[in-house]
């Protein structure tokens, strides 16, 4: 029964790659130092490259990502050495799922300013999501040479090492990320994932608890706590964790699937059928046909058992 959980132990790796993707250069966050050999600012329609950069930032803040992309592109065309424009273009492209153009923009930011550590870190993150682990590692190492305290670079490097199944070095990187990004729950979560791979369950539980302490609505962390309790036969603790997972994200099907398994063990088949039906419907809605099928099979078992005399 416990193997039902294994599929989801690395499910959030890809979605959490760019921990630093919200870094934008606005009035509250100064732009990186300019290259010492910047040319005179070019103009288009009376607007300088910096004007277009500011316009793009305003569009981002207004939720108009496509307008921001157009503005950042205009800024980079007017001044190819404006690293902040390339960088923010990369962030905006990443936001709409254009991974390769995003990586290209981050690369141009590193060319415009070879000491721009966040650009190297996000370039490494984009390459990681594209499964180019060696090149991702190289750029992340460069980011950390430039800024050893850049928390999300340590985090992205930890993800590279986790993908490489090098759990000890991954944990070391995630611990560094926690040191420099104290409000980010993801490093603690991935420490827990690494400890799960090593079957160090008590340490995994501690790490997941740390993640939900930072972010009580971290549904995946609650779910993995529940899966550990379930596999250890501590059904009430497991059920409480799955409930917290569902409360944190009502559209997270794994939480309902896990609760269904607990109710099956407790022989509460009516409750099991209710949550398994919900899990099945969510899996279907999210295009996860295999796990929808698994939930459907369990649902039928629960319904059959619920109608049998006990």
């Amino acid at each position: 029964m416990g193997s039902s959980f294994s599929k989801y132990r690395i499910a959030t790796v890809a979605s959490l790659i760019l921990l630093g993707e919200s870094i934008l250069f606005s009035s509250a966050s100064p732009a990186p130092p300019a290259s010492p050999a910047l040319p005179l600012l070019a103009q288009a329609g009376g607007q300088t490259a910096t004007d277009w950069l500011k316009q793009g930032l305003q569009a981002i803040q207004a939720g108009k990502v496509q307008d921001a992309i157009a503005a950042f592109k205009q800024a980079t065309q007017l001044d190819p050495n404006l690293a902040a424009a390339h960088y923010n273009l990369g962030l905006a492209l990443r936001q709409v799922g254009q991974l390769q153009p995003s990586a290209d923009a981050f690369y141009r930011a590193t060319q415009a300013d070879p000491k721009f550590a966040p650009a190297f870190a996000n370039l490494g993150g984009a390459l990681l999501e594209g499964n180019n682990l060696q090149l991702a590692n190289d750029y992340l190492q460069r980011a950390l040479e430039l800024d050893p305290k850049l928390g999300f670079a340590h985090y992205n490097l930890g993800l590279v090492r986790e993908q490489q199944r090098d759990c000890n070095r991954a944990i070391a990187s995630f611990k560094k990320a926690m040191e420099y990004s104290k409000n980010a729950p993801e490093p603690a979560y991935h420490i827990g994932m690494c400890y799960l791979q090593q079957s160090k369950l008590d340490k995994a539980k501690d790490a997941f608890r740390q993640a939900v302490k930072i972010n009580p609505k971290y549904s995946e962390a609650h779910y993995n706590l529940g899966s550990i309790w379930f596999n250890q036969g501590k059904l009430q603790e497991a059920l409480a964790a799955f409930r917290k997972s569902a409360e944190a994200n009502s559209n997270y099907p794994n939480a309902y699937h896990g609760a269904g398994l607990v109710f099956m063990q407790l022989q509460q088949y009516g409750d099991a059928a209710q949550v398994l039906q919900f899990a099945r419907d969510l899996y279907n809605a999210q295009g996860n046909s295999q796990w929808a099928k698994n939930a459907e099979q369990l649902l039928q078992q629960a319904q059959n058992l619920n109608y049998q005399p006990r």
Side-chain angles (χ1 to χ4, degrees), residues 22-160:
S22 62
I23 298 175
L24 294 172
F25 295 103
S26 62
S27 58
S29 178
S35 171
L38 280 180
L40 293 175
L41 288 174
Q43 298 188 20
Q47 287 185 288
T48 66
T50 302
D51 291 333
W52 283 107
L53 172 60
K54 291 178 180 177
Q55 186 172 319
L57 292 170
Q58 291 170 355
I60 285 288
Q61 291 170 353
K64 299 177 180 179
V65 181
Q66 293 298 337
D67 290 347
I69 290 171
F72 293 142
K73 284 182 177 178
Q74 186 66 51
T76 62
Q77 289 169 9
L78 289 172
D79 185 358
N81 289 319
L82 190 58
H86 291 293
Y87 180 73
N88 283 287
L89 175 60
L91 295 177
L93 290 167
R94 177 65 188 82
Q95 190 171 335
V96 296
Q98 295 187 33
L99 187 60
Q100 185 58 56
S102 172
D104 292 341
F106 290 134
Y107 177 76
R108 293 189 188 101
T110 67
Q111 297 299 293
D113 183 356
K115 294 185 178 181
F116 191 2
F120 283 99
N122 275 299
L123 176 55
L127 290 165
L128 168 58
E129 192 163 2
N131 205 36
N132 191 336
L133 299 185
Q134 185 55 58
L135 203 53
N137 176 79
D138 294 344
Y139 282 116
L140 290 165
Q141 295 284 7
R142 178 57 181 154
L144 291 169
E145 288 172 8
L146 293 167
D147 185 356
K149 296 182 178 181
L150 193 59
F152 77 93
H154 286 290
Y155 170 75
N156 284 340
L157 184 57
L159 291 176
V160 170

Side-chain angles (χ1 to χ4, degrees), residues 261-283:
L261 291 173
V262 174
F263 284 131
M264 292 289 285
Q265 289 289 302
L266 293 172
Q267 299 184 0
Q268 297 178 15
Y269 300 119
D271 292 330
Q274 184 177 358
V275 293
L276 287 167
Q277 181 175 338
F278 205 60
R280 178 202 62 190
D281 293 345
L282 282 172
Y283 283 131

Side-chain angles (χ1 to χ4, degrees), residues 202 205 225-226 228-240 242 262:
D202 288 338
K205 283 189 289 188
L225 277 169
I228 294 172
W229 290 125
F230 180 83
N231 286 321
Q232 292 179 333
K234 297 184 177 180
L235 300 182
Q236 293 302 328
E237 290 90 340
L239 186 58
F242 292 137
V262 174

